[in-house]
Every structure is written in C-alpha cells, then in structure tokens.
Coordinates of all heavy atoms in Angstrom, one line a residue:
M1 N 0.9 -1.1 0.0 CA 0.0 0.0 0.0 C 0.9 1.2 0.0 O 1.8 1.4 0.8 CB -0.9 0.0 1.2 CG -1.9 1.1 1.2 SD -2.9 1.2 2.8 CE -4.0 -0.2 2.6
S2 N 0.6 2.1 -0.9 CA 1.4 3.3 -1.0 C 1.1 4.3 0.1 O 0.1 4.3 0.7 CB 1.3 4.0 -2.3 OG 0.0 4.6 -2.4
A3 N 2.0 5.3 0.3 CA 1.8 6.3 1.3 C 0.6 7.2 1.0 O -0.1 7.6 1.9 CB 3.0 7.2 1.5
R4 N 0.4 7.4 -0.3 CA -0.7 8.2 -0.7 C -2.0 7.5 -0.4 O -3.0 8.2 0.0 CB -0.6 8.4 -2.2 CG -1.6 9.4 -2.8 CD -1.4 9.6 -4.2 NE -2.1 10.8 -4.6 CZ -1.9 11.5 -5.7 NH1 -1.0 11.1 -6.5 NH2 -2.6 12.5 -6.0
T5 N -2.1 6.2 -0.6 CA -3.3 5.5 -0.3 C -3.6 5.4 1.2 O -4.7 5.6 1.6 CB -3.2 4.0 -0.8 OG1 -2.9 4.1 -2.2 CG2 -4.5 3.2 -0.6
R6 N -2.6 5.3 2.0 CA -2.7 5.3 3.4 C -3.2 6.6 3.9 O -4.1 6.7 4.8 CB -1.4 4.9 4.1 CG -1.1 3.4 4.2 CD 0.0 3.1 5.1 NE 1.3 3.8 4.7 CZ 2.3 3.3 4.0 NH1 2.2 2.0 3.7 NH2 3.3 4.0 3.7
T7 N -2.7 7.7 3.4 CA -3.1 9.0 3.7 C -4.6 9.3 3.4 O -5.3 9.8 4.2 CB -2.2 10.1 3.0 OG1 -0.9 9.9 3.4 CG2 -2.6 11.5 3.5
R8 N -4.9 8.8 2.2 CA -6.3 9.0 1.8 C -7.3 8.2 2.6 O -8.3 8.7 3.0 CB -6.5 8.6 0.3 CG -7.8 8.9 -0.3 CD -7.9 8.6 -1.7 NE -6.8 9.2 -2.5 CZ -6.4 8.9 -3.7 NH1 -7.0 7.9 -4.3 NH2 -5.5 9.5 -4.3
T9 N -6.9 7.0 3.0 CA -7.7 6.1 3.9 C -7.8 6.7 5.2 O -8.9 6.8 5.8 CB -7.1 4.7 4.0 OG1 -7.0 4.2 2.7 CG2 -7.9 3.8 4.9
R10 N -6.7 7.3 5.8 CA -6.8 7.9 7.1 C -7.6 9.1 7.1 O -8.4 9.3 8.0 CB -5.3 8.2 7.5 CG -5.2 8.7 9.0 CD -3.8 8.9 9.4 NE -3.0 7.7 9.3 CZ -1.9 7.6 8.7 NH1 -1.2 8.6 8.2 NH2 -1.2 6.4 8.7
T11 N -7.5 9.9 6.1 CA -8.3 11.1 5.9 C -9.8 10.8 5.8 O -10.7 11.4 6.5 CB -7.9 12.0 4.7 OG1 -6.5 12.3 4.8 CG2 -8.7 13.2 4.6
S12 N -10.1 9.8 5.0 CA -11.5 9.4 4.9 C -12.1 8.9 6.2 O -13.2 9.2 6.6 CB -11.6 8.3 3.9 OG -11.2 8.7 2.6
T13 N -11.3 8.1 7.0 CA -11.7 7.6 8.3 C -12.0 8.7 9.2 O -13.0 8.7 9.9 CB -10.7 6.7 8.8 OG1 -10.5 5.6 7.9 CG2 -11.1 6.1 10.2
I14 N -11.2 9.7 9.3 CA -11.3 10.9 10.2 C -12.6 11.7 9.8 O -13.4 12.0 10.7 CB -10.1 11.8 10.1 CG1 -8.9 11.0 10.8 CG2 -10.3 13.1 10.8 CD1 -7.6 11.7 10.6
V15 N -12.8 11.9 8.5 CA -14.0 12.6 8.0 C -15.3 11.8 8.4 O -16.2 12.4 8.9 CB -14.0 12.8 6.5 CG1 -15.3 13.3 6.0 CG2 -12.9 13.8 6.1
V16 N -15.3 10.5 8.2 CA -16.5 9.7 8.6 C -16.7 9.8 10.1 O -17.9 9.9 10.6 CB -16.4 8.3 8.1 CG1 -17.4 7.4 8.7 CG2 -16.4 8.2 6.6
L17 N -15.7 9.6 10.9 CA -15.8 9.7 12.4 C -16.3 11.1 12.8 O -17.2 11.1 13.7 CB -14.5 9.3 13.0 CG -14.1 7.9 12.9 CD1 -12.8 7.7 13.6 CD2 -15.2 7.0 13.6
L18 N -15.8 12.1 12.3 CA -16.3 13.5 12.6 C -17.7 13.6 12.2 O -18.5 14.3 12.9 CB -15.4 14.5 11.9 CG -14.0 14.8 12.6 CD1 -13.2 15.8 11.7 CD2 -14.2 15.3 14.0
W19 N -18.1 13.1 11.0 CA -19.5 13.2 10.5 C -20.4 12.6 11.5 O -21.5 13.1 11.9 CB -19.6 12.5 9.2 CG -20.9 12.6 8.5 CD1 -22.0 11.8 8.8 CD2 -21.3 13.5 7.5 NE1 -23.0 12.1 8.0 CE2 -22.7 13.2 7.2 CE3 -20.7 14.6 6.9 CZ2 -23.4 13.9 6.2 CZ3 -21.5 15.3 5.9 CH2 -22.8 15.0 5.6
L20 N -20.1 11.3 11.9 CA -20.9 10.6 12.9 C -20.9 11.3 14.3 O -22.0 11.3 15.0 CB -20.5 9.2 13.0 CG -20.7 8.3 11.7 CD1 -20.1 6.9 11.9 CD2 -22.1 8.3 11.4
L21 N -19.8 11.8 14.7 CA -19.7 12.5 16.0 C -20.7 13.7 16.0 O -21.4 14.0 17.0 CB -18.3 12.9 16.3 CG -18.1 13.6 17.6 CD1 -18.4 12.6 18.8 CD2 -16.6 14.1 17.7
I22 N -20.7 14.5 14.9 CA -21.6 15.6 14.8 C -23.1 15.1 14.8 O -23.9 15.7 15.5 CB -21.3 16.4 13.5 CG1 -20.0 17.1 13.6 CG2 -22.4 17.4 13.2 CD1 -19.4 17.7 12.4
G23 N -23.4 14.0 14.2 CA -24.7 13.4 14.3 C -25.1 13.0 15.7 O -26.2 13.2 16.1
V24 N -24.2 12.4 16.4 CA -24.4 12.0 17.8 C -24.7 13.3 18.6 O -25.7 13.3 19.4 CB -23.3 11.2 18.4 CG1 -23.4 11.1 19.9 CG2 -23.2 9.9 17.8
F25 N -24.0 14.3 18.4 CA -24.2 15.6 19.1 C -25.6 16.2 18.8 O -26.3 16.7 19.7 CB -23.1 16.6 18.8 CG -23.2 17.9 19.6 CD1 -22.9 17.8 21.0 CD2 -23.5 19.0 19.0 CE1 -23.0 19.0 21.7 CE2 -23.6 20.3 19.7 CZ -23.3 20.2 21.1
A26 N -26.0 16.1 17.5 CA -27.3 16.6 17.1 C -28.4 15.8 17.8 O -29.4 16.3 18.3 CB -27.4 16.5 15.6
A27 N -28.2 14.5 17.8 CA -29.2 13.6 18.5 C -29.3 13.9 20.0 O -30.4 13.9 20.5 CB -28.9 12.1 18.2
F28 N -28.2 14.2 20.6 CA -28.1 14.5 22.0 C -28.9 15.9 22.2 O -29.7 16.0 23.2 CB -26.7 14.6 22.5 CG -26.5 15.1 23.9 CD1 -26.9 14.3 24.9 CD2 -26.2 16.4 24.2 CE1 -26.8 14.7 26.3 CE2 -26.1 16.8 25.5 CZ -26.3 16.0 26.5
Q29 N -28.6 16.9 21.4 CA -29.3 18.1 21.5 C -30.8 18.0 21.4 O -31.5 18.8 22.0 CB -28.8 19.1 20.5 CG -27.4 19.7 20.8 CD -27.0 20.7 19.7 OE1 -27.2 20.6 18.6 NE2 -26.4 21.8 20.2
R30 N -31.3 17.2 20.5 CA -32.7 17.0 20.3 C -33.3 16.1 21.4 O -34.5 15.9 21.4 CB -32.9 16.4 18.9 CG -32.6 17.4 17.9 CD -32.8 16.8 16.5 NE -32.5 17.9 15.5 CZ -32.5 17.6 14.2 NH1 -32.7 16.4 13.8 NH2 -32.1 18.6 13.4
G31 N -32.5 15.6 22.3 CA -33.1 14.8 23.4 C -33.3 13.3 23.1 O -34.1 12.6 23.8
Y32 N -32.8 12.8 21.9 CA -33.1 11.5 21.5 C -32.3 10.4 22.3 O -32.8 9.3 22.4 CB -32.8 11.3 20.0 CG -33.6 12.1 19.0 CD1 -33.1 12.4 17.8 CD2 -34.8 12.6 19.4 CE1 -33.8 13.1 16.9 CE2 -35.6 13.3 18.5 CZ -35.1 13.6 17.3 OH -35.8 14.3 16.4
L33 N -31.2 10.8 22.9 CA -30.3 9.8 23.6 C -30.7 9.6 25.0 O -30.4 8.6 25.6 CB -28.9 10.3 23.5 CG -28.3 10.4 22.0 CD1 -26.9 10.8 22.1 CD2 -28.4 9.0 21.3
G34 N -31.4 10.5 25.6 CA -31.8 10.4 27.0 C -33.3 10.0 27.2 O -33.8 10.0 28.3
S35 N -33.9 9.5 26.1 CA -35.3 9.2 26.2 C -35.5 7.8 26.8 O -34.8 6.9 26.6 CB -35.9 9.1 24.8 OG -37.2 8.7 24.8
A36 N -36.6 7.8 27.6 CA -36.9 6.5 28.3 C -37.9 5.7 27.4 O -38.4 4.7 27.8 CB -37.5 6.8 29.6
D37 N -38.3 6.2 26.2 CA -39.2 5.6 25.3 C -38.5 4.9 24.2 O -38.2 5.5 23.2 CB -40.2 6.7 24.8 CG -41.2 6.2 23.8 OD1 -41.5 5.0 23.9 OD2 -41.6 6.9 22.9
P38 N -38.2 3.6 24.3 CA -37.4 2.9 23.3 C -38.3 2.4 22.2 O -38.3 1.2 21.9 CB -36.7 1.8 24.0 CG -37.7 1.5 25.1 CD -38.3 2.8 25.5
S39 N -39.1 3.3 21.6 CA -40.0 2.8 20.5 C -39.3 2.6 19.2 O -38.2 3.2 19.0 CB -41.2 3.8 20.3 OG -40.7 5.0 19.8
C40 N -39.9 2.0 18.3 CA -39.3 1.8 17.0 C -39.0 3.1 16.3 O -38.0 3.3 15.7 CB -40.3 0.9 16.1 SG -39.7 0.7 14.4
S41 N -40.0 4.0 16.3 CA -39.9 5.3 15.7 C -38.7 6.1 16.3 O -38.0 6.8 15.6 CB -41.2 6.1 15.8 OG -42.2 5.5 15.1
R42 N -38.6 6.1 17.6 CA -37.6 6.8 18.3 C -36.2 6.3 18.0 O -35.3 7.1 17.7 CB -37.8 6.7 19.8 CG -36.7 7.4 20.7 CD -36.7 8.9 20.5 NE -37.8 9.4 21.3 CZ -37.9 10.7 21.5 NH1 -37.1 11.5 21.1 NH2 -39.0 11.1 22.2
L43 N -36.1 5.0 18.0 CA -34.8 4.4 17.6 C -34.4 4.7 16.2 O -33.2 5.0 15.9 CB -34.8 2.9 17.9 CG -34.9 2.5 19.4 CD1 -35.1 1.0 19.5 CD2 -33.7 3.0 20.2
A44 N -35.3 4.6 15.3 CA -35.0 4.8 13.8 C -34.7 6.3 13.6 O -33.8 6.6 12.9 CB -36.3 4.4 13.0
T45 N -35.5 7.2 14.3 CA -35.2 8.6 14.1 C -33.8 9.0 14.7 O -33.1 9.7 14.0 CB -36.3 9.4 14.8 OG1 -37.5 9.2 14.2 CG2 -36.0 10.9 14.7
T46 N -33.4 8.4 15.8 CA -32.1 8.6 16.4 C -31.0 8.1 15.4 O -30.0 8.8 15.2 CB -32.0 7.9 17.7 OG1 -33.0 8.4 18.6 CG2 -30.6 8.2 18.4
A47 N -31.2 6.9 14.8 CA -30.2 6.4 14.0 C -30.0 7.3 12.7 O -28.9 7.6 12.3 CB -30.5 5.0 13.6
V48 N -31.1 7.7 12.1 CA -31.1 8.5 10.9 C -30.5 9.9 11.3 O -29.7 10.5 10.5 CB -32.5 8.7 10.3 CG1 -32.5 9.7 9.2 CG2 -32.9 7.3 9.8
T49 N -30.8 10.4 12.4 CA -30.2 11.7 12.8 C -28.7 11.6 12.9 O -27.9 12.5 12.5 CB -30.8 12.2 14.2 OG1 -32.2 12.4 14.0 CG2 -30.2 13.5 14.6
I50 N -28.2 10.5 13.5 CA -26.7 10.3 13.6 C -26.1 10.2 12.3 O -25.1 10.8 12.0 CB -26.5 9.1 14.6 CG1 -26.9 9.4 16.0 CG2 -25.0 8.7 14.5 CD1 -26.8 8.2 16.9
V51 N -26.7 9.4 11.4 CA -26.1 9.2 10.1 C -26.2 10.5 9.2 O -25.3 10.7 8.4 CB -26.9 8.0 9.3 CG1 -26.5 7.9 7.9 CG2 -26.6 6.7 10.0
A52 N -27.2 11.3 9.4 CA -27.3 12.6 8.7 C -26.2 13.6 9.1 O -25.8 14.5 8.3 CB -28.6 13.2 8.9
G53 N -25.6 13.4 10.3 CA -24.5 14.2 10.7 C -24.7 15.7 10.6 O -25.7 16.2 11.1
P54 N -23.8 16.4 9.9 CA -23.9 17.9 9.8 C -25.1 18.4 9.1 O -25.5 19.5 9.2 CB -22.6 18.3 9.1 CG -21.7 17.1 9.2 CD -22.6 15.9 9.4
L55 N -25.7 17.5 8.3 CA -27.0 18.0 7.6 C -28.1 18.4 8.5 O -28.9 19.2 8.2 CB -27.5 16.9 6.6 CG -26.5 16.5 5.6 CD1 -27.1 15.3 4.7 CD2 -26.2 17.6 4.7
N56 N -28.0 18.0 9.8 CA -29.0 18.4 10.8 C -28.9 19.9 11.0 O -29.9 20.5 11.4 CB -28.7 17.7 12.1 CG -29.0 16.2 12.1 OD1 -30.2 15.8 12.0 ND2 -28.0 15.4 12.0
Y57 N -27.7 20.5 10.8 CA -27.6 21.9 11.1 C -27.8 22.8 9.9 O -27.7 24.0 10.0 CB -26.2 22.1 11.7 CG -26.0 21.5 13.0 CD1 -25.3 20.3 13.1 CD2 -26.6 22.0 14.1 CE1 -25.2 19.6 14.4 CE2 -26.5 21.3 15.4 CZ -25.8 20.2 15.4 OH -25.7 19.5 16.7
V58 N -28.2 22.2 8.8 CA -28.5 23.0 7.6 C -30.0 22.8 7.3 O -30.5 23.1 6.2 CB -27.7 22.7 6.4 CG1 -26.2 23.1 6.6 CG2 -27.8 21.2 6.0
G59 N -30.8 22.3 8.2 CA -32.2 22.3 8.1 C -32.8 20.8 8.0 O -34.1 20.7 8.0
L60 N -32.1 19.8 7.9 CA -32.6 18.5 7.8 C -33.0 18.1 9.2 O -32.3 18.2 10.1 CB -31.5 17.5 7.3 CG -32.0 16.1 7.1 CD1 -33.0 16.0 5.9 CD2 -30.8 15.2 6.8
D61 N -34.3 17.6 9.3 CA -34.8 17.1 10.5 C -35.4 15.7 10.2 O -36.6 15.6 10.1 CB -35.8 18.1 11.1 CG -36.3 17.7 12.5 OD1 -35.7 16.8 13.1 OD2 -37.3 18.2 12.9
P62 N -34.6 14.7 10.1 CA -35.2 13.4 9.8 C -36.0 12.8 10.9 O -35.7 12.8 12.0 CB -33.9 12.6 9.5 CG -32.9 13.2 10.4 CD -33.2 14.6 10.4
R63 N -37.2 12.3 10.4 CA -38.0 11.6 11.4 C -38.6 10.3 10.6 O -39.0 10.4 9.5 CB -39.2 12.4 11.8 CG -38.7 13.6 12.6 CD -39.9 14.4 13.1 NE -39.4 15.6 13.7 CZ -39.2 15.8 15.0 NH1 -39.6 14.8 15.9 NH2 -38.8 16.9 15.5
I64 N -38.5 9.2 11.3 CA -39.0 8.0 10.8 C -40.1 7.4 11.6 O -40.1 7.4 12.8 CB -37.8 6.9 10.8 CG1 -36.6 7.4 10.2 CG2 -38.3 5.6 10.2 CD1 -36.7 7.6 8.7
G65 N -41.2 7.1 10.9 CA -42.3 6.5 11.6 C -42.4 5.0 11.3 O -42.3 4.6 10.1
C66 N -42.6 4.2 12.3 CA -42.7 2.8 12.1 C -43.4 2.2 13.3 O -43.6 2.8 14.3 CB -41.3 2.1 12.0 SG -40.3 2.2 13.4
S67 N -43.9 1.0 13.1 CA -44.6 0.3 14.1 C -44.2 -1.1 14.2 O -43.9 -1.7 13.1 CB -46.1 0.4 14.0 OG -46.5 -0.2 12.7
T68 N -44.1 -1.7 15.3 CA -43.7 -3.1 15.5 C -45.0 -3.9 15.5 O -46.1 -3.5 16.0 CB -42.9 -3.3 16.8 OG1 -43.7 -2.8 17.8 CG2 -41.6 -2.6 16.7
P69 N -45.0 -5.1 15.0 CA -46.2 -6.0 15.1 C -46.6 -6.3 16.5 O -45.7 -6.5 17.4 CB -45.8 -7.2 14.3 CG -44.5 -7.0 13.8 CD -43.9 -5.7 14.4
Q70 N -47.9 -6.3 16.8 CA -48.4 -6.6 18.1 C -48.8 -8.1 18.1 O -49.3 -8.6 17.2 CB -49.6 -5.7 18.4 CG -49.3 -4.2 18.4 CD -48.3 -3.9 19.5 OE1 -48.3 -4.4 20.6 NE2 -47.3 -3.0 19.1
P71 N -48.5 -8.7 19.3 CA -48.9 -10.2 19.3 C -50.5 -10.3 19.3 O -51.2 -9.5 19.7 CB -48.4 -10.6 20.7 CG -48.1 -9.3 21.5 CD -47.9 -8.2 20.5
S72 N -50.9 -11.4 18.7 CA -52.3 -11.6 18.6 C -52.8 -12.2 19.9 O -52.1 -12.9 20.6 CB -52.6 -12.5 17.4 OG -52.0 -13.8 17.6
N73 N -54.1 -12.0 20.2 CA -54.7 -12.6 21.4 C -55.2 -13.9 21.2 O -55.7 -14.4 20.3 CB -55.8 -11.7 21.9 CG -55.2 -10.3 22.4 OD1 -54.1 -10.3 22.8 ND2 -56.0 -9.3 22.3

C-alpha cells in the first residue's frame, strides 16, 4: 500500500468519524439519547439523525415512523 493510499484512507476515516460525531451531538441536543421511550420510531429517528451528521444543522430534521407488530390474542 502506498503512502498516498494510506493518507487518503486515514483522511476518509477521520471525516467519517467526525461526521458521525456531529450526528451524535445533534441527536443529543434533540433529546433522543436520553429518552426512556425505546419505541421503533424513536430508535429509527435517532439512527437517521446520527447518520445525517452535519446535515442536521442545515435544516434536515429526519423523522422515521414505524410500528412493530403486536402479538395476537
């Protein structure tokens, strides 16, 4: 592996980690990480908020709606 490839890989890794860290911070600010309601929608919205990263600060407010199947009686 050349030095150029290693540098590019290292830079890409740092960018992805910073992107996700910003997403975690956005989820924290919105109160998604401290919630006592572990519903499907809450977990999905939290995950999408983290993946969206810095896009949260330019107006993106991802929300996912889902429901889990209920057991039959």
Side-chain angles (χ1 to χ4, degrees):
M1 187 185 284
S2 70
R4 185 177 199 164
T5 303
R6 279 192 302 260
T7 301
R8 189 175 305 164
T9 302
R10 188 174 300 132
T11 302
S12 297
T13 301
I14 290 170
V15 168
V16 168
L17 288 176
L18 285 174
W19 183 277
L20 294 174
L21 184 63
I22 292 169
V24 168
F25 186 68
F28 175 76
Q29 283 184 320
R30 292 180 177 170
Y32 296 158
L33 298 178
S35 174
D37 177 29
S39 67
C40 175
S41 294
R42 174 68 76 172
L43 294 173
T45 298
T46 302
V48 171
T49 299
I50 291 170
V51 171
L55 297 177
N56 290 287
Y57 295 104
V58 294
L60 181 70
D61 187 12
R63 295 184 187 261
I64 305 293
C66 62
S67 61
T68 55
Q70 299 298 319
S72 60
N73 292 329

